[in-house]
Amino acid sequence: MTDAMSSAGGLMSAEMVAIPAMVIRGGTSKGVYLRGRDLPADRSLWGPYLIDMFGARDARQIDGIGGAMPTTSKCCIVEESARPDADVDYTFAQIGIGEERVYWDFNCGNLTPAVGTYAILAGLVPAVPGRTSVRVYQTNTRMLLTVDVPTGPDGSPLVAGDFRMAGVTGPGAPVTTDFSRAIGASLGGGLFPTGRRTDVITVPGVGEVTCSILDLANMCVFFRAEDVGLTGLEMPADGPLGVAERFHEVRRAAQDLLGVDHATTTPWPVGVTAARDFALYGGGTLAAADYDFAVRFAGIQPMRDTLHEAFPGTASCCTAVAAVTEGTVVHDLYPRRKPGSVLLAHPSGVSVVEAATHDEDGGCVVDAVRIARTARPIMRGEVFVRKAEVERLCSAIPAEDRIRSAVPPAGAVAE
């Protein structure tokens, strides 16, 4: 263990290891960005490193760099790629809050655009004035993405701009990500993993519910909120008790249909409902005329007992594709207020996704799906990991479990 730890980052003392890090806000999330070379070569040790780094076992994360919310307890590990079709490899980690666990089985769409920003700032990709494209291999989902970063005359990423997004104070420069090739992100198959555009699942306490399961960016299961006894306009803080658990029940029912282990986080449950006026989470009112339909989401951590404060970027992409594709439970709610775009209303406001599909030979082809986010670098320095804590975590977790939970090597195909 000592050799593995001393080979990662710079040795600060006999007790701690210093890891170079950068904190960047990407969209409505904030993440810690690390270089893969600064972590142990043994990827089964990455989890223990991050658990101590973020202070995961404390729900307040006071003893670490975590922000005690799913949107701020995230890490992006980036390194140069050996693949000819990618510039960087990017691994996403969702760190537990009040639990010594790291979730590796999905990607964060809000932090993905900032991977392009980080790659430029870290010198992994040569930048050009105007706009720099960064080809990203996303290791968790084994997908290729393209991030376009606005850059200044010297090639540095631009921060200032007039693009506004819900859930973020103030405008910024839009960083766009193309997710059109991210089909089969969770199960490695097609857009519709069951082969059908609608399915019927049995939800405890509700009965049979018609849903649509799509696997793009992150696999999601879509259902009409009213079909499970909800309004679809519930809020994180003031929703009735049991709302998030109803979402988890839908997820587990979909997992049973797919034959997926309940321990995984996908398919993400997304409740949808028709547009109506509602009061926003941060104050103010959103008019029905300003969006296409409303979405609500509960997940990321199965222990999370409230709805998401906004809406994940990858779920936005999957939802938009469902909206523009005939035959899904989402499609009938989509009034096309803005041609070529889908306007999704969540507790913090409206997210806009460019999406287009067409049917071909009995299947569905995704022509485009893009999201824009703003990114702002916040801090660069070193974060400290305690050697004794990593030793303790490794002794508590059997080696085979560490290996099983570690992400596969970059460029590899997961078993």
Side-chain angles (χ1 to χ4, degrees):
M1 180 65 64
T2 302
D3 290 342
M5 293 195 66
S6 62
S7 67
L11 186 64
M12 178 192 178
S13 70
E15 294 184 328
M16 292 184 284
V17 173
I19 307 294
M22 189 178 298
V23 176
I24 304 176
R25 178 192 58 76
T28 55
S29 293
K30 183 166 61 177
V32 177
Y33 287 73
L34 309 174
R35 289 282 298 269
R37 70 179 186 184
D38 294 325
L39 293 173
D42 180 359
R43 289 187 169 213
S44 71
L45 298 178
W46 285 13
Y49 259 69
L50 298 181
I51 288 169
D52 184 52
M53 185 184 297
F54 279 72
R57 63 174 170 171
D58 175 13
R60 301 168 301 168
Q61 294 189 332
I62 286 177
D63 198 32
I65 201 170
M69 295 175 62
T71 52
T72 57
S73 190
K74 301 181 175 187
C75 184
C76 300
I77 303 164
V78 185
E79 198 51 83
E80 289 179 300
S81 181
R83 296 174 59 102
D85 52 0
D87 299 309
V88 296
D89 295 325
Y90 149 53
T91 300
F92 173 70
Q94 181 75 48
I95 319 303
I97 301 172
E99 59 175 347
E100 293 180 338
R101 181 176 175 183
V102 177
Y103 298 85
W104 300 101
D105 61 328
F106 58 93
N107 178 32
C108 174
N110 277 293
L111 291 186
T112 295
V115 169
T117 300
Y118 176 77
I120 294 171
L121 292 174
L124 296 171
V125 174
V128 296
R131 203 160 194 85
T132 299
S133 290
V134 181
R135 301 173 303 163
V136 178
Y137 178 71
Q138 213 292 309
T139 67
N140 309 71
T141 59
R142 304 179 299 280
M143 293 292 162
L144 290 164
L145 312 170
T146 301
V147 178
D148 287 326
V149 182
T151 44
D154 62 351
S156 61
L158 295 178
V159 174
D162 57 7
F163 177 76
R164 293 181 178 273
M165 60 173 298
V168 177
T169 302
V175 182
T176 60
T177 305
D178 178 4
F179 282 92
S180 60
R181 291 184 291 177
I183 297 172
S186 298
L187 293 182
L191 181 63
F192 295 96
T194 68
R196 299 176 293 273
R197 300 192 183 193
T198 61
D199 287 285
V200 176
I201 55 177
T202 301
V203 179
V206 175
E208 292 188 342
V209 174
T210 300
C211 68
S212 293
I213 303 174
L214 281 77
D215 193 1
L216 181 142
N218 274 318
M219 182 167 58
C220 296
V221 51
F222 300 97
F223 60 96
R224 297 286 185 95
E226 294 84 355
D227 290 348
V228 298
L230 302 175
T231 67
L233 298 179
E234 289 82 4
M235 287 292 174
D238 59 6
L241 294 176
V243 170
E245 179 55 30
R246 183 56 50 87
F247 279 73
H248 299 326
E249 289 170 347
V250 169
R251 173 173 57 86
R252 289 189 288 266
Q255 288 173 331
D256 290 340
L257 176 67
L258 294 165
V260 174
D261 192 334
H262 285 186
T264 63
T265 60
T266 56
W268 285 356
V270 177
V272 296
T273 192
R276 304 191 297 281
D277 295 358
F278 70 92
L280 290 168
Y281 186 51
T285 300
L286 186 62
D290 293 335
Y291 68 96
D292 290 325
F293 55 91
V295 292
R296 294 295 186 268
F297 167 71
I300 298 182
Q301 288 182 264
M303 51 75 69
R304 183 79 166 156
D305 59 1
T306 61
L307 297 180
H308 198 287
E309 295 83 2
F311 198 58
T314 49
S316 297
C317 292
C318 197
T319 305
V321 169
V324 300
T325 303
E326 292 187 6
T328 72
V329 299
V330 186
H331 181 70
D332 291 341
L333 296 176
Y334 177 46
R336 298 173 179 80
R337 297 182 192 276
K338 183 178 179 182
S341 296
V342 182
L343 311 180
L344 310 172
H346 50 76
S348 294
V350 177
S351 291
V352 181
V353 186
E354 297 178 25
T357 65
H358 73 274
D359 286 344
E360 184 177 295
D361 298 329
C364 179
V365 177
V366 178
D367 300 310
V369 55
R370 286 183 292 270
I371 58 173
R373 294 290 187 266
T374 59
R376 185 175 88 83
I378 296 171
M379 182 279 294
R380 177 161 54 190
E382 293 179 327
V383 59
F384 305 123
V385 176
R386 295 168 293 186
K387 295 165 67 176
E389 274 298 288
V390 173
E391 294 276 5
R392 181 189 66 80
L393 288 162
C394 289
S395 65
I397 305 173
E400 60 270 22
D401 288 345
R402 292 204 313 274
I403 294 171
R404 188 182 302 119
S405 65
V407 294
V413 177
E415 296 180 0

